[in-house]
Amino acid sequence: MKDQTRTPLFSGLLDHIRKHPTQFHIPGHKQGKAVEPSFRDFLGENAFKMDLINIEPLDDLHHPNGIIKEAQDLAAEAFGADYTFFSVQGTSGAIMTMVMSVCNPGDKILVPRNVHKSVTSAIIFSGAVPVFIHPELDPVLGISHGITPRAVRHALEAHPDAKAVLVINPTYFGIAADLESIVEIAHLHDIPVLVDEAHGVHIHFHNDLPLSAMQAGADIAATSVHKLGGSLTQSSVLNLKGERISHERVQTVLSMLTTTSTSYILLASLDTARKQLAISGKSRIDQAIKLANKARKAINELQFIYCTGEEVIGSEAAYHFDPTKLIISIKDLGITGYDAEVWLRNNFNIEVELSDLYNILCIITPGDSTETIEKLLIALGQLEETMRPLSSKKDVQVTIPEIPRLALAPRDAFYAETEVIPFNTAAGRISAESIMVYPPGIPIFIPGEIITNENIEYIWKNVEAGLPVQGLQDETLQTIRVIKEYRAFN
Ligand SMILES: Cc1ncc(COP(=O)(O)O)c(C=O)c1O
């Protein structure tokens, strides 16, 4: 057992700073001296003193063998991994690394349709061919959950040559699949399981939460420490276990995708967040669960607003859930989740994590307190009072369109000769672009897929509901880039 109270990277930086070296290296602001004063005053001088670069005493994320290696080794033990790699390119960078570490051009990879855009990017970069699995849809909440072991088994029977399975666990909404069974099925085919654990750094540290990727036996997991684990935005880890994926390969690919000017402030925040999670994570998460459950109970005393609880569990895709996520269903109030988000901003200065047609999502963490929960409860009470005249029992229409047919590998489509045509006339053409509703970034189609009228209508419906539809080069959605078609007589 290692001493998890140690922070070799953070402490190493402090030791270095205390020596007051005269710096003739970048960054040129030289401990903040050359920084614009209002910015320097706001952040404080320590931030600039720690804004260092990979000089020899401070190790190098690209070839770690000093304080970064020690910090990564401690993290590996804390996360139950054989190797942990720090990422300063968020979980997006870690996801691209894991996909590109296992997929060569032309390799098939099983992925849920509701993947983050970094998975689509990784598929384009690697030249892999996605085999999409429909996530299970929740008819009460109108959201998609994860994929089921059964769907993975069927997909592997149909595609026995697949090289990997990627799972999102837990989902943005905190719903976890039966990951252990998915891992078992994939390992029977001797292929690795890659986990997008962007929303699950904390689950490893509390027994009442779903199993983490490493606990479930997955081979590799990209985990956002910055989202729910207390490190700074952009800092994530990539955890690796077992023999199916080479750690040298992962290090090489991660390095290919990473800036050579890695931020030591981000790296130190990973080191200290790991210490906090390992030492006091359980009690801090306990407190967050209690606060969230208190909020859930009070919200469910309202007449038209409902907050999801344990009853969501019951299917293979909703096998477990994370109670620190408050999925607050607004649909019976007669407004959209997006309307509620804007109302809370304008009337209570509250910012939620995300909204969709039917829900808002609020995350509760050890950073919350009785006061923040009270404020949310008062605001939701007033929201209900204000909107009560509009209220009506509304049936959820789960409107995720069928997965379009893939006509070309996404990379081939991305690099193909293309033309721009009016968006509303694009049905039947092969898209060269991705388009998604964000958050949470579910692709409606990706490069290589055949556009259908259903896709186009789905997009306009989301636009009308005020949801951000992103991805097309033409942000007005008037035109789209498609694969050029040559006809015999023009
Ligand atoms: C499911 C999922 N995966 C991956 C990511 C990417 O994480 P990051 O923002 O750390 O790059 C996100 C970000 O929101 C996400 O929701």
Side-chain angles (χ1 to χ4, degrees):
M1 280 285 280
K2 295 184 192 302
D3 178 3
Q4 290 287 338
T5 61
R6 291 181 59 241
T7 50
L9 179 43
F10 176 55
S11 308
L13 285 166
L14 293 185
D15 288 347
H16 180 78
I17 292 165
R18 284 188 196 118
K19 286 184 197 148
H20 300 293
T22 305
Q23 295 178 355
F24 289 102
H25 60 72
I26 56 171
H29 63 64
K30 304 226 171 172
Q31 302 154 16
K33 292 187 203 81
V35 160
E36 197 282 322
S38 62
F39 184 58
R40 183 181 56 219
D41 290 349
F42 184 76
L43 283 195
E45 61 177 15
N46 282 342
F48 297 99
K49 288 187 179 160
M50 191 169 284
D51 189 27
L52 289 157
I53 197 75
N54 52 341
I55 50 172
E56 214 219 88
L58 302 183
D59 206 1
D60 182 351
L61 189 62
H62 292 263
H63 309 279
N65 57 20
I67 56 177
I68 294 180
K69 179 172 184 326
E70 277 184 67
Q72 291 189 151
D73 288 349
L74 277 161
E77 185 188 82
F79 283 106
D82 293 342
Y83 296 91
T84 292
F85 303 86
F86 287 172
S87 164
V88 291
Q89 320 248 134
T91 296
S92 300
I95 284 177
M96 291 187 218
T97 302
M98 63 182 187
V99 173
M100 292 173 72
S101 296
V102 298
C103 287
N104 291 333
D107 282 350
K108 285 184 188 166
I109 177 168
L110 305 190
V111 288
R113 182 63 182 179
N114 53 337
V115 282
H116 185 257
K117 66 180 190 178
S118 56
V119 177
T120 315
S121 305
I123 284 170
I124 290 174
F125 292 154
S126 63
V129 177
V131 175
F132 285 112
I133 301 182
H134 250 314
E136 199 175 88
L137 301 177
D138 187 313
V140 177
L141 297 167
I143 61 175
S144 50
H145 295 324
I147 53 174
T148 64
R150 199 177 332 180
V152 171
R153 190 178 298 114
H154 286 163
L156 281 176
E157 277 160 18
H159 301 275
D161 52 341
K163 289 288 173 0
V165 180
L166 187 139
V167 184
I168 307 164
N169 204 67
T171 64
Y172 209 148
F173 291 94
I175 310 295
D178 181 359
L179 186 57
E180 252 183 329
S181 297
I182 293 175
V183 168
E184 203 178 305
I185 293 163
H187 285 178
L188 277 176
H189 286 76
D190 201 21
I191 59 169
V193 176
L194 286 43
V195 181
D196 172 349
E197 203 175 47
H199 299 285
V201 63
H202 56 309
I203 61 179
H204 189 80
F205 299 93
H206 199 291
N207 289 340
D208 293 347
L209 297 177
L211 287 184
S212 72
M214 293 296 108
Q215 287 163 337
D219 301 81
I220 191 164
T223 308
S224 295
V225 186
H226 71 90
K227 282 188 168 65
L228 298 165
S231 68
L232 293 182
T233 295
Q234 222 171 303
S235 62
S236 294
V237 291
L238 185 55
N239 289 320
L240 175 68
K241 194 156 102 177
E243 305 293 320
R244 282 186 189 81
I245 303 171
S246 135
H247 66 94
E248 288 97 347
R249 174 86 174 161
V250 173
Q251 177 69 65
T252 302
V253 177
L254 186 67
S255 191
M256 284 166 67
L257 296 174
T258 298
T259 170
T260 41
S261 305
T262 49
S263 162
Y264 275 85
I265 300 178
L266 296 185
L267 292 173
S269 84
L270 281 172
D271 195 25
T272 50
R274 181 273 313 152
K275 170 186 167 184
Q276 184 167 253
L277 284 166
I279 301 298
S280 58
K282 183 172 180 311
S283 62
R284 293 162 59 78
I285 295 162
D286 229 21
Q287 185 202 335
I289 295 175
K290 285 198 181 99
L291 282 174
N293 282 339
K294 182 177 159 208
R296 178 172 287 108
K297 190 161 175 283
I299 295 168
N300 284 334
E301 281 160 17
L302 295 169
Q303 198 181 345
F304 297 105
I305 302 181
Y306 152 70
C307 182
T308 311
E310 264 175 15
E311 67 285 353
V312 74
I313 301 174
S315 68
E316 277 182 277
Y319 187 75
H320 204 167
F321 94 119
D322 170 3
T324 66
K325 299 286 178 79
L326 300 179
I327 311 172
I328 303 172
S329 167
I330 302 290
K331 65 182 166 47
D332 292 343
L333 265 188
I335 57 172
T336 66
Y338 180 69
D339 294 334
E341 173 183 333
V342 173
W343 190 93
L344 289 169
R345 175 176 302 130
N346 292 343
N347 292 280
F348 276 86
N349 197 18
I350 284 177
E351 295 291 346
V352 301
E353 170 65 19
L354 71 79
S355 64
D356 62 20
L357 281 179
Y358 305 111
N359 311 287
I360 54 172
L361 178 70
C362 292
I363 59 161
I364 308 301
T365 75
D368 278 291
S369 61
T370 325
E371 288 73 44
T372 61
I373 300 295
E374 276 310 312
K375 183 170 176 185
L376 178 65
L377 294 177
I378 291 170
L380 290 175
Q382 280 210 19
L383 174 69
E384 175 162 290
E385 268 320 296
T386 313
M387 301 299 171
R388 188 181 280 272
L390 301 176
S391 62
S392 63
K393 283 269 170 215
K394 212 179 0 165
D395 283 338
V396 163
Q397 288 174 3
V398 185
T399 54
I400 291 177
E402 278 300 303
I403 299 172
R405 209 157 59 76
L406 190 70
L408 283 178
R411 186 173 66 175
D412 294 342
F414 187 77
Y415 289 115
E417 205 182 336
T418 58
E419 60 185 329
V420 174
I421 62 166
F423 182 57
N424 282 335
T425 64
R429 300 294 297 269
I430 301 171
S431 178
E433 300 190 70
S434 281
I435 184 163
M436 70 204 71
V437 183
Y438 195 88
I442 296 177
I444 301 159
F445 45 78
I446 66 163
E449 288 181 338
I450 301 175
I451 299 162
T452 62
N453 276 323
E454 189 199 21
N455 297 143
I456 295 173
E457 279 161 25
Y458 179 83
I459 288 162
W460 288 127
K461 196 168 167 208
N462 279 284
V463 171
E464 277 159 27
L467 294 175
V469 176
Q470 294 181 359
L472 292 190
Q473 276 173 19
D474 176 0
E475 289 180 1
T476 67
L477 307 187
Q478 296 309 303
T479 59
I480 180 167
R481 189 165 287 281
V482 295
I483 307 303
K484 196 171 173 90
E485 280 177 6
Y486 288 96
R487 285 160 224 258
F489 300 105
N490 64 4

